[in-house]
Amino acid sequence: MSSPYIADLHIHSPYSRATSKESTLVGLAAWARVKGIDLLGTGDFTHPGWFARINGMLEPAEPGFFRLKPEEQKKADSFLPLAKGGRPGRGCRFLLTAEISSIYKRHGRVRKVHNLLFVPDLDAAARINARLAGIGNIHSDGRPILGLDSRDLLEILLELAPEGFLVPAHIWTPWFSLFGSKSGFDSIEECFGDLSGHVFALETGLSSDPDMNRLVSSLDRFSLISNSDCHSPAKLGREANLFDTDFDFFSLRNSLKNPAEGFLGTIEFFPEEGKYHYDGHRKCGICLDPVRTREEKGLCPACGKPVTVGVLHRVLELADRRKPFYPDNAPKFHSLIPLPEVLAELLDRGPNTKGVLEQYWRVVSLFGSEFTLSLHTPVEEISSRYSPLLAEAISRIRQGRVIRNSGYDGEFGKITVFEEGERAEVRGQHPLFQQKPRSAVKKKKKITELPLFSVAEPVAPCSVGARAVLNPEQKAAVESPDPYLLVQAGPGTGKTHTLIARLAHDLDNGAGPAGIAVITFTNRAADEVRERLFREAGTRAGEVFVGTFHRFCLSLLRRQGPDLAVVGEDTREMILRTLFPGLRIQEMTQLREAILEYFTGENSDARHIDLRVQRYLTHLQKEEAIDLDGVIPTCVRTMRSDPLFRGSVLERITHLFVDEFQDLSHDQYALVRLFSGGARIFAIGDPDQAIYGFRGSSPRFFHEFARDCQATVITLVRNYRSAPAILAAAAAVIEQNPLPDKGVRQPLAPQSARVAIPEYSLSPTPQAEAEYIVQRIEEALRVVGDDGELPVDRGDGAGARAELDRLLPVAGRKHNESGEAQPRPG
């Protein structure tokens, strides 16, 4: 039996770059109810880590759709309790989706096209993952970059998941799309060749709407879908799709093939709000319409460089109609402004400010969901139950009576409802919240502000100061006067706690905050250190540098060249394919390895450098750029070869703190040794937890630091995390690790009296062992805690999986750094 529903089919997981860590399955399902969305794409099923979460947290529902398992649905229901949207009696459903970034050469040009994959079952997704893993790296990003022709990707889908389908993503985006002005095609057939008939839907993207697409007659046979492509759950539904079909994968697919069978249309951004609607040059602040761009011959009138050609320009290039054409009963579309932006305009505040968020949650609680208000609630009801001014705004939006300032070259546009003077006039006629006199307002109970995300349990503030709860070993590490200190901190011994206490101690004893640099292994660890240091040391923490080796070295190099650009994996791939268009896949892989060896090898010699590597380096030099893998070694070479540079750095940095010291590479250790000529150094870590040998790190540098700098060594031996039986089992394994100079390993002393029974398992391969551990931890996370409640900070396995990610890189999971949450010795 059919019934209307709303679907957002293009989202991303935390495994995609620049994506919120709150984009978990639980968080996405909860926010879908806030928005009023019934069906979400999972996104990123090609990433092994996310695919494991999909397997572990979802279960089959309607054919081809999945739902949260009961224990996960319970967390989603309590995640944002004011949310009332979604299908009556049901939680949000998920459909298996993924986005692939294809970069390849076709017809003499480099093409960069993003495509969405839709499959009905986990087995089909697993088959596709296995095939793609043999083609390229699907572990490094939730949206993998593959040197795979779009046509060949479609062929793989049709072979391995014949009931699935492919949709070209955001087809007009300049840089990465089917029709993109920078690297796309002029027709579907040019891209997909003999398989073009298997493509029946296109995603239009934020910067275009159906009116624009229906100017191009070659698109008449396609359903035009719209999705949020969101990287944060609060952005769900900024574009979405409306269906009236049976609620299952196959009915949805058939309605896209034949829109008369239930594809009602889309919810759209006003296209001018999209960040590539007009042409322009962001660096110069130049925004141009297509006519002006042609008058300027495609060049920026300010600097003379080529502008980024936007979506409207590109549509008009391919258009063969003056007006959009719609057949009878064609799908409709609704252009909306996201509700937080509407409220922000009415309140004259930023959309993320406290007052706007308070009113957003108030509206959701009154009307059930954002889409219920924006699409269905009568204007009179909005006026009577909430505000005449909001009612007027919603009425104008539904009629398209808005003020449009177009986005360009990566800058979002701005859509407003009222002219400035008009808004003030209307506000005078209709107070926004029916405000009472001030005396009455004072007596009214204040609306409680609800946080945007509430899964992660906040770290408890330290009311007595971290240094007040140091055990003897930690106290020695914090108060030692020696200039070079090496702290060996095993698991659960309070490593981060000790590091923060030492930082605060040095600040209290005269160390200038601007002269302190704290090097962490990940950005996430840096965020934690920064937050905890701020609680311990106050505003002084704001001047302390906290970041990764890469960020630290880049900040030093940019003191010489402020405009130095960094070339990451995506851009490197594009440059290599441009410089060496004829290389086969195996040759390109060898070239990547040669570049990595040049940057990270301990014995790299410029006299024997691969000529292709030299060509790549020369290109970067001309572009005033540096490869991401070359940031640290370049900084080391510069400090060694340029006495003035080194002197200025050592004069500035007086205290150097290095976390996870056991995972240092040759270049990272060389950098630390260069600072031993002037700065005080505090290094902390555990050589028995060194796991990144495959990336060039080695625990030998941990021991060499003690010898080379004659550092004082302090060992933290009290474990506050694990039961005695667990420590004994771990010690039996760790004792097999060799020690330099016949050293003696100090055993950890358990501080917990908890009882635990070790479980033994013999695995045939390291990969099998890693997957077994993943499975057991995921099973453990589904067990109710000692207090009878499921801990909110474990709602998606974040805490244990962060530790798992650190310990099991062979399982293809992201490296994350977890830390102690309590101000206690462990």
Side-chain angles (χ1 to χ4, degrees), residues 259-280:
E261 296 185 11
F263 179 45
L264 301 180
T266 55
I267 296 169
E268 303 278 339
F269 251 31
F270 285 95
E272 293 84 357
E273 190 169 2
K275 59 184 180 179
Y276 289 106
H277 184 71
Y278 264 8
D279 311 332

Side-chain angles (χ1 to χ4, degrees), residues 272-273 403-407 412-416:
E272 293 84 357
E273 190 169 2
I403 301 158
R404 314 179 191 208
N405 295 289
S406 294
F412 279 107
K414 180 71 172 177
I415 308 297
T416 56

Side-chain angles (χ1 to χ4, degrees), residues 296-617:
E296 299 290 344
K297 298 181 180 179
L299 301 178
C300 172
C303 69
K305 295 182 178 180
V307 300
T308 297
V309 173
V311 168
L312 179 60
H313 191 136
R314 182 68 173 143
V315 170
L316 294 177
E317 283 184 346
L318 299 183
D320 53 1
R321 293 179 176 134
R322 290 183 176 273
K323 294 182 179 181
F325 169 75
Y326 291 94
D328 293 339
N329 301 316
K332 311 297 183 183
F333 70 95
H334 308 267
S335 295
L336 300 178
I337 303 174
L339 182 57
E341 295 180 21
V342 178
L343 295 172
E345 180 183 355
L346 301 186
L347 288 168
D348 199 18
R349 301 180 186 177
N352 294 317
T353 58
K354 180 179 178 180
V356 170
L357 296 180
E358 283 182 343
Q359 296 306 321
Y360 179 81
W361 290 112
R362 186 181 176 196
V363 169
V364 169
S365 67
L366 280 173
F367 298 102
S369 74
E370 182 172 336
F371 283 145
T372 298
L373 173 80
S374 299
L375 293 173
H376 306 303
T377 304
V379 172
E380 297 77 10
E381 182 179 347
I382 299 173
S383 179
S384 63
R385 295 184 64 193
Y386 188 71
S387 160
L389 187 58
L390 179 61
E392 175 66 17
I394 295 298
S395 175
R396 293 189 183 193
I397 292 169
R398 290 176 182 175
Q399 298 172 50
R401 294 166 49 212
V402 297
I403 301 158
R404 314 179 191 208
N405 295 289
S406 294
Y408 66 97
D409 195 17
E411 291 285 344
F412 279 107
K414 180 71 172 177
I415 308 297
T416 56
V417 181
F418 301 109
E419 295 282 3
E420 183 60 37
E422 180 190 21
R423 182 182 62 189
E425 179 182 347
V426 176
R427 180 181 288 126
Q429 298 170 1
H430 301 294
L432 180 55
F433 305 123
Q434 302 292 344
Q435 295 176 352
K436 297 180 180 180
R438 290 197 175 192
S439 58
V441 172
K442 289 181 180 179
K443 296 178 182 179
K444 186 176 180 179
K445 184 177 179 181
K446 182 180 179 181
I447 298 172
T448 302
E449 179 186 11
L450 296 179
L452 283 179
F453 307 110
S454 57
V455 164
E457 180 179 325
V459 177
C462 181
S463 59
V464 297
R467 287 155 289 166
V469 284
L470 296 170
N471 67 36
E473 297 81 24
Q474 294 170 340
K475 183 177 177 65
V478 169
E479 298 180 355
S480 172
D482 298 331
Y484 306 122
L485 194 63
L486 182 64
V487 180
Q488 182 164 335
T493 57
K495 176 175 66 69
T496 307
H497 177 73
T498 304
L499 175 65
I500 298 300
R502 176 70 194 214
L503 278 163
H505 174 273
D506 286 356
L507 286 169
D508 287 346
N509 286 273
I516 298 177
V518 184
I519 310 298
T520 62
F521 206 68
T522 66
N523 288 321
R524 182 173 179 177
D527 291 340
E528 182 190 0
V529 169
R530 196 177 294 111
E531 178 185 348
R532 293 174 66 168
L533 181 60
F534 184 83
R535 290 204 307 268
E536 184 65 22
T539 57
R540 292 175 298 171
E543 297 183 59
V544 176
F545 174 90
V546 184
T548 62
F549 269 102
H550 279 91
R551 184 181 169 206
F552 179 62
C553 290
L554 187 61
S555 70
L556 298 181
L557 293 173
R558 281 179 171 163
R559 291 168 66 85
Q560 286 191 321
D563 296 328
L564 184 66
V566 177
V567 172
E569 182 179 339
D570 294 354
T571 308
R572 179 197 304 142
E573 188 77 10
M574 180 182 66
I575 293 172
L576 292 179
R577 292 190 177 279
T578 302
L579 294 176
F580 311 103
L583 290 187
R584 295 189 295 270
I585 293 177
Q586 183 177 2
E587 294 173 321
M588 186 63 73
T589 300
Q590 293 171 346
L591 177 55
R592 295 191 202 99
E593 292 173 350
I595 292 171
L596 182 64
E597 175 63 24
Y598 170 77
F599 287 129
T600 63
E602 294 188 24
N603 300 310
S604 58
D605 189 337
R607 292 173 299 178
H608 303 293
I609 187 173
D610 186 302
L611 292 179
R612 293 175 299 182
V613 175
Q614 183 61 63
R615 184 179 174 190
Y616 171 66
L617 297 176

